[in-house]
Amino acid sequence: MPPSPSDLETLTLLDRYLDAAPRTGAATEDIGPFTLFISTGIWPYYARPRIGLDRAITPLDVLAMRDRQRTLGVPETFEWVVETTPSMSAAARETGLAVEELPLLVLAGSLRPANEVAAQIRKVGADEFDLARILAVASVAFGNAGTAVSAIGPRERDEKAASDPIAPARIRERIRDGLTVLYVAEDEDGPIASGAHQPVDGVTEIVGVATLPSSRRRGIGSSITAALVADARDAGLHTVFLSAASDAVARVYERLGFVRVGHAGLASLPGVPTHG
């Protein structure tokens, strides 16, 4: 079923945000129908269909971009909004890339209240002393993806933090400049969940909501999401959205008040993860 006119308007807004947000940490090249984002900071980026593209993308377009990515030594990855560039998925698959189409959700109205949790949730400042352990939470959680509870937790977090004890200076800069807003949940064992949002021109994407496997199924991720939404609303942002790693994760966000409006397309070499 094609998106409704209101959903298509929302998807166009999100598409423009997704073109604007990487520019705070990347240089760009326009190659054929794509914009290639080349990281100047800490995160690897990808190619996206150019805003306002008025033709279908072909496998030859994708191959040309992949050749440029290999030349530059950057990941052969692509991201796009499926409904605004419907030709992209098939073109990427024809070149041998693995393609995912993940639920794209927007907050409709107010977030439903999250249940109280046995953890303290707070905003992280640019001078945060425990930033290495906070950042390690997401690394451990996304390295053990899904929603299953396991014994993996604080020990693995601390081992990861110890292997990189100096938190990236660029993260501190982004927090200081308001480009990344980071929240953490902590209990007696220290940081157990984290998440962020990244505001641009009245729109923000919630990213990296992650909970250590040993602390899952306690509603902590939902509470982090609620804190991020409250922060965004307090800042006057009018649109809050996210992409979910699976339908099961999307259903969690739907219970909080998010609604599905489309799909986020991701393509990469087979066996190479495209998201946390």
Side-chain angles (χ1 to χ4, degrees):
M1 179 182 297
S4 68
S6 61
D7 283 351
L8 189 56
E9 181 179 354
T10 298
L11 289 167
T12 300
L13 175 69
L14 301 189
D15 202 23
R16 292 188 178 279
Y17 168 93
L18 291 166
D19 177 81
R23 295 174 187 268
T24 62
T28 62
E29 286 187 17
D30 286 337
I31 301 171
F34 295 107
T35 298
L36 174 61
F37 296 92
I38 305 164
S39 180
T40 58
I42 56 174
W43 296 307
Y45 282 111
Y46 38 78
R48 299 191 78 255
R50 283 189 285 105
I51 294 296
L53 186 67
D54 58 0
R55 70 168 178 86
I57 289 175
T58 70
L60 288 177
D61 294 325
V62 177
L63 288 171
M65 174 53 75
R66 290 178 61 188
D67 182 65
R68 179 59 175 157
Q69 289 170 318
R70 285 193 299 273
T71 297
L72 293 173
V74 300
E76 293 178 55
T77 54
F78 297 78
E79 296 194 8
W80 68 99
V81 175
V82 172
E83 288 75 11
T84 61
T85 315
S87 58
M88 181 63 198
S89 294
R93 287 191 180 100
E94 285 190 41
T95 72
L97 293 177
V99 173
E100 296 179 88
E101 296 182 352
L102 304 179
L104 195 58
L105 302 97
V106 172
L107 182 62
S110 299
L111 192 76
R112 296 189 185 107
N115 295 328
E116 289 192 17
V117 295
Q120 178 189 4
I121 296 173
R122 63 180 177 87
K123 190 173 183 175
V124 177
D127 298 323
E128 169 64 45
F129 77 97
D130 209 16
L131 188 57
R133 289 207 304 166
I134 293 169
L135 297 178
V137 167
S139 182
V140 171
F142 292 140
N144 298 272
T147 60
V149 178
S150 77
I152 295 170
R155 180 173 64 84
E156 290 77 9
R157 174 205 63 206
D158 292 348
E159 288 174 352
K160 177 64 178 176
S163 70
D164 184 16
I166 302 175
R170 290 300 298 270
I171 290 286
R172 294 190 187 276
E173 289 176 13
R174 289 184 63 87
I175 293 172
R176 188 172 290 111
D177 293 342
L179 299 172
T180 294
V181 180
L182 179 64
Y183 272 74
V184 63
E186 299 164 309
D187 65 9
E188 63 275 8
D189 292 319
I192 55 173
S194 62
H197 74 91
Q198 303 187 121
V200 178
D201 294 335
V203 180
T204 196
E205 181 181 16
I206 291 178
V207 296
V209 176
T211 304
L212 292 177
S214 61
S215 297
R216 288 173 179 164
R217 303 279 180 91
R218 291 164 46 188
I220 297 170
S222 295
S223 294
I224 286 279
T225 301
L228 292 168
V229 168
D231 185 280
R233 293 301 196 212
D234 288 346
L237 305 176
H238 55 74
T239 302
V240 180
F241 78 101
L242 54 84
S243 60
S246 66
D247 283 331
V249 174
R251 286 192 288 273
V252 173
Y253 288 115
E254 286 176 315
R255 289 195 290 271
L256 295 175
F258 285 83
V259 297
R260 301 189 198 207
V261 294
H263 298 83
L266 308 172
S268 69
L269 295 170
V272 177
T274 52
H275 57 86

